[in-house]
């Protein structure tokens, strides 16, 4: 008789395959976005979390017209997911003498991120209300 259960072997193999696919997708995303692996993993992970939360909210609230519109919140979650990438991309810039100097570009400033976040939510719900009136 075997010491190990075959169902635990299957679960272990399935877990390994899922982790390998997730790691490969994270690496490909990091290469595509020109990010280091750790920053790409944060961005990819937060995007997946945003997708899962949007799916859970859609499942909980249903698909009726009276349900809360979640797509502006989903867009906000995806935008917030890219904060580590914005901070990485804005880390070093090249000046006129070809030296690297540390300066903060406009898209890494906290008040710009807050203003864009408010614009996404307000504009999204405004657009959603207009679409509900028309259709």
């Amino acid at each position: 008789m075997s010491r190990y259960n075959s169902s635990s072997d299957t679960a272990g193999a399935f877990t390994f395959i899922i982790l390998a696919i997730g790691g490969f997708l994270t690496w490909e995303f990091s290469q595509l976005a020109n990010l280091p692996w750790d920053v790409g993993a944060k961005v990819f992970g937060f995007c997946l979390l945003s997708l899962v939360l949007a799916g859970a909210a859609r499942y909980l609230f249903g698909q009726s017209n009276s349900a809360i519109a979640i797509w502006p919140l989903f867009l906000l979650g995806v935008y917030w997911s890219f904060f580590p990438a914005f901070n990485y991309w804005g880390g070093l810039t090249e000046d006129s003498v070809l030296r690297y100097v540390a300066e903060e570009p406009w898209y890494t400033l906290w008040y710009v991120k807050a203003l864009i976040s408010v614009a996404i939510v307000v504009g999204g719900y405004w657009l959603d209300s207009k679409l509900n009136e028309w259709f």
Side-chain angles (χ1 to χ4, degrees), residues 37-78:
W37 196 85
D38 59 334
V39 176
K42 286 180 190 176
V43 172
F44 190 70
F46 288 143
C47 281
L48 284 179
L49 178 65
S50 177
L51 181 66
V52 167
L53 290 176
R58 191 65 169 165
Y59 175 76
L60 291 175
F61 293 122
Q63 296 182 1
S64 67
N65 287 339
S66 64
I68 185 171
I70 60 163
W71 66 267
L73 298 177
F74 172 68
L75 286 179
L76 182 66
V78 171

Side-chain angles (χ1 to χ4, degrees), residues 15 17 21 28 36-37 41 45 50 62 86 89 110 120 125:
T15 303
I17 290 171
I21 290 171
E28 282 293 324
W37 196 85
S50 177
F86 293 151
W89 289 326
W110 69 269
I120 288 173
Y125 281 114

